[in-house]
Amino acid sequence: MTELVKDPLFGLAATLFVFQLAKWLQQKTKQRLLHPMLVSTLLLIGLLNIANIDYVDYNHGGQYITFLLGPATVALAIPLVRQLPVLKKNWQAILLGVVSGSLVGVVSVLGIASFLDASREITLSLTPKSVTTPIAMEIARSLGGIPSLTVGAVIIAGLTGAIIGPALLTRIGVKNQIARGLAIGAAAHALGTDRCLEDNELAGAVSGIAIALVGVVTSLMASPLSSWLLH
């Protein structure tokens, strides 16, 4: 059994199986709260604890899923290309939304962390929470944060945006698909973008471009803003 658990195929197979099970559960129940990422994460944690499997052993195969985060993010460019004429026409609004979204994302974390008297290391780890995981980890590492903590924050931000983001925007009267895509992409990165694509391809395309641009803008402003606000 020990040799089976340490085999990279175990972690890979377990992750894929649990995720497919979580997707089936959401499709069956039609409950947005049962997001596949949230459910599969909880199921995997439960599996590792019940079976007394060390995370390091599981991650021998799970790391291949992490590696695919980059290509999966790049694949979001497909709807972007399809909507390119509309995006070019609205580039000023998109740029303004990206910059303001990045600014709010960074300043809100620094402000809340300061209010709660969080340590500098934790604050810097949470700063890139609204950026897609591969970029967020590098930003946290460059700031002196803890990349593994950053991943957790990114997932929570993405899940929150994907689950309640569209409903919240509808409730406050945001109907423009470009505005909806910008808001969700800037706050909830790939998980939010995936949710956008389910509703509208234009919103998904804008959300996809917001992921890339927010990553760039946040990486440029995170360090100077952190230094200024934390001193």
Side-chain angles (χ1 to χ4, degrees):
M1 182 64 180
T2 303
E3 292 302 317
L4 174 63
V5 168
K6 291 185 177 181
D7 191 308
L9 286 177
F10 171 79
L12 183 61
T15 304
L16 293 175
F17 173 77
V18 168
F19 186 75
Q20 288 301 316
L21 178 61
K23 283 188 67 177
W24 174 84
L25 183 62
Q26 187 189 50
Q27 291 168 357
K28 202 73 174 175
T29 61
K30 307 296 182 184
Q31 291 293 323
R32 289 291 179 188
L33 286 174
L34 296 178
H35 193 283
M37 176 66 78
L38 175 61
V39 174
S40 59
T41 299
L42 294 176
L43 288 175
L44 277 172
I45 291 173
L47 173 64
L48 297 184
N49 276 284
I50 292 171
N52 198 27
I53 299 172
D54 191 274
Y55 174 77
V56 174
D57 293 332
Y58 156 77
N59 201 42
H60 286 151
Q63 63 182 331
Y64 295 113
I65 303 294
T66 305
F67 170 77
L68 291 173
L69 281 172
T73 302
V74 172
L76 293 172
I78 296 174
L80 187 154
V81 172
R82 292 174 180 165
Q83 300 292 336
L84 202 54
V86 180
L87 298 178
K88 285 182 178 179
K89 184 179 179 181
N90 296 277
W91 69 269
Q92 291 174 312
I94 292 173
L95 185 60
L96 179 61
V98 164
V99 172
S100 59
S102 301
L103 185 62
V104 169
V106 173
V107 172
S108 63
V109 168
L110 295 174
I112 293 171
S114 177
F115 177 75
L116 296 175
D117 199 26
S119 70
R120 180 183 178 85
E121 191 176 32
I122 290 177
T123 301
L124 295 176
S125 302
L126 300 179
T127 297
K129 65 166 180 58
S130 296
V131 181
T132 191
T133 305
I135 302 175
M137 291 177 68
E138 290 305 317
I139 293 175
R141 188 175 288 111
S142 68
L143 292 175
I146 308 169
S148 57
L149 178 58
T150 302
V151 172
V154 168
I155 292 175
I156 292 172
L159 284 172
T160 304
I163 292 171
I164 71 172
L168 177 62
L169 291 173
T170 299
R171 181 172 290 274
I172 63 177
V174 180
K175 298 179 180 179
N176 184 280
Q177 295 301 331
I178 292 177
R180 291 174 70 91
L182 275 172
I184 294 178
H189 42 82
L191 290 174
T193 299
D194 180 63
R195 176 69 177 84
C196 279
L197 285 168
E198 293 179 16
D199 297 334
N200 184 276
E201 187 176 82
L202 175 57
V206 175
S207 187
I209 197 171
I211 291 175
L213 294 179
V214 165
V216 173
V217 174
T218 301
S219 65
L220 293 174
M221 70 168 56
S223 182
L225 272 175
S226 300
S227 299
W228 179 55
L229 292 174
L230 294 177
H231 281 86

